[in-house]
Amino acid sequence: MVNLVQRPRRLRTTDSIRRLVRETHVTVDDLLYPMFVTTDDAVTEIASMPGIYRYPVDALLHAVEKAVNAGIHAIMLFGLPASKDELGSEGYALDGIVPTAIEALRRNFDRSLTIVPDVCLCEYTSHGHCGIINHSGAETDVDNDATLKLLARAAITYAQAGADMIAPSDMMDGRVGAIRAALDSSGFKSMPIMAYSAKYASAYYGPFREAADSAPQFGDRRSYQMDPPNRREAIREIALDIEEGADIVMVKPGLAYLDILREARDNFDVPMAVYNVSGEYSMVKAAAANGWIDEDRVINETLTAFKRAGADIILTYHAVEYALRLQ
Ligand code: PBG
Ligand code: ZN
């Protein structure tokens, strides 16, 4: 006869006991909901991301109100401009789509809604790269240092429009420092920066590039986004961003990089964000549409994995549907 002293199963017998000993909880406090705002006058659903839309400003106000009613208190904004050019001018124009949307949101929502514009040029450049192109050298490449000035301009423009936090996603070297300096000298010393620090060159961004119409027209992003096999380099990127003044750092994508997230959490004592990116969302939606998975449980498990791996903030397109289920 077996006589076990230790039986972990004792604490799994009822739902109530399981709740008592549960180690990880994902609440609406943790969620940051990415949204797309467009200069078009129609709301369009993103084909590869069912349930996610590009909103004109007035429709965005309604969608944000719905999200807020569901319990969401923080959103990220991506802009789709009317026109694109070599220098991504609409990305930092005073009357660009993102500052226009921020101003409209600010008129309708107080600071209990946190507005976080993504700062990058790829949605605004005709070539789709995250920085401007230097054609003068032997190789065509993204001009790191020239791009910094434009990113800083975008950050100031969004701050002046009423943003609560700035989130650079371009992966240029030194952009956190450049943006920090520009914000400080423009009267925004208290504006936090959430840096996309360990951002990998990932195929999981595919649906986003359709959503934001931001696919590079030549080449790829491998000269600035990180090489997926690299782990130590992620720690270096995060350390640099913190030195340059990042208040929150991010690992992106999420699921394929949970090891990086855990290691980052163990190495740094700043709030850690993770981006549950478009491709991860699309895969869940596609499998669910086919009846192949239990969607709600898969979403719960996924968000829990991020929290358990060390994330404080989860950027996810599932935010509203998840929040609604918590109500
Ligand atoms: C822009 C940006 C991208 C994402 C966030 N900001 C795309 C990219 O870098 O190609 C990806 C988001 C997603 O896939 O959900 N630099
Ligand atoms: Zn970009």
Side-chain angles (χ1 to χ4, degrees):
M1 197 183 81
V2 276
N3 195 357
L4 294 178
V5 173
Q6 293 296 336
R7 288 183 185 272
R9 288 183 57 189
R10 289 179 198 125
L11 296 181
R12 295 178 202 142
T13 50
T14 70
D15 187 52
S16 175
I17 293 173
R18 289 192 294 270
R19 284 170 62 194
L20 284 173
V21 300
R22 191 160 291 155
E23 300 173 37
T24 308
H25 301 268
V26 178
T27 76
V28 287
D29 291 353
D30 311 319
L31 304 178
L32 181 49
Y33 182 47
M35 301 183 82
F36 299 93
V37 60
T38 176
T39 47
D40 282 356
D41 34 47
V43 177
T44 51
E45 187 170 26
I46 295 144
S48 54
M49 301 176 72
I52 302 298
Y53 301 82
R54 302 185 196 88
Y55 298 102
V57 173
D58 52 346
L60 178 74
L61 298 176
H62 289 290
V64 171
E65 192 182 344
K66 270 198 191 163
V68 167
N69 289 338
I72 297 301
H73 68 103
I75 61 164
M76 168 162 276
L77 277 185
F78 294 99
L80 286 105
S83 63
K84 301 175 188 252
D85 60 27
E86 274 279 310
L87 301 179
S89 339
E90 288 284 302
Y92 40 90
L94 293 176
D95 61 352
I97 181 63
V98 166
T100 303
I102 295 171
E103 280 168 13
L105 286 164
R106 215 63 296 170
R107 281 194 292 276
N108 289 271
F109 299 89
D110 64 22
R111 301 266 166 175
S112 58
L113 174 72
T114 297
I115 303 173
V116 188
D118 177 275
V119 170
C120 199
L121 296 187
C122 55
E123 295 115 275
Y124 308 96
T125 48
S126 42
H127 44 76
H129 279 286
C130 300
I132 57 178
I133 305 296
N134 185 348
H135 296 284
S136 64
E139 283 173 64
T140 307
D141 196 15
V142 171
D143 187 335
N144 192 91
D145 299 10
T147 300
L148 298 183
K149 296 182 188 68
L150 303 181
L151 296 167
R153 262 175 78 178
I156 292 169
T157 304
Y158 302 166
Q160 284 167 344
D164 297 290
M165 194 184 286
I166 298 296
S169 69
D170 53 283
M171 287 300 277
M172 296 302 119
D173 292 332
R175 89 270 204 221
V176 172
I179 290 173
R180 184 71 270 158
L183 288 170
D184 289 355
S185 62
S186 307
F188 296 104
K189 288 202 167 72
S190 309
M191 179 68 60
I193 295 174
M194 176 169 69
Y196 287 69
S197 302
K199 178 175 178 178
Y200 289 88
S202 173
Y204 284 97
Y205 308 151
F208 174 94
R209 292 184 188 166
E210 179 210 330
D213 186 26
S214 65
Q217 298 304 300
F218 62 88
D220 53 44
R221 303 213 201 291
R222 286 178 233 227
S223 78
Y224 42 103
Q225 297 180 350
M226 285 179 54
D227 199 21
N230 293 359
R231 184 168 61 90
R232 294 188 306 260
E233 191 186 348
I235 300 306
R236 179 153 184 258
E237 281 282 6
I238 293 169
L240 286 171
D241 282 0
I242 294 171
E243 274 171 38
E244 290 176 34
D247 302 283
I248 300 171
V249 295
M250 190 196 299
V251 172
K252 177 187 177 199
L255 283 179
Y257 299 86
L258 288 176
D259 57 328
I260 307 296
L261 180 59
R262 166 47 59 192
E263 192 160 336
R265 159 49 66 237
D266 291 344
N267 273 273
F268 302 101
D269 283 325
V270 299
M272 197 68 60
V274 66
Y275 203 138
N276 178 207
V277 300
S278 56
E280 300 172 59
Y281 176 88
S282 298
M283 292 194 302
V284 170
K285 290 295 171 184
N290 278 289
W292 292 338
I293 54 169
D294 180 332
E295 182 178 9
D296 288 354
R297 289 186 55 208
V298 166
I299 293 170
N300 291 351
E301 229 174 293
T302 302
L303 301 184
T304 300
F306 295 137
K307 195 82 187 281
R308 197 183 60 230
D312 302 290
I313 300 169
I314 304 169
L315 291 92
T316 180
Y317 302 98
H318 295 296
V320 173
E321 55 185 333
Y322 181 79
L324 283 169
R325 276 198 281 118
L326 294 185
Q327 285 186 331

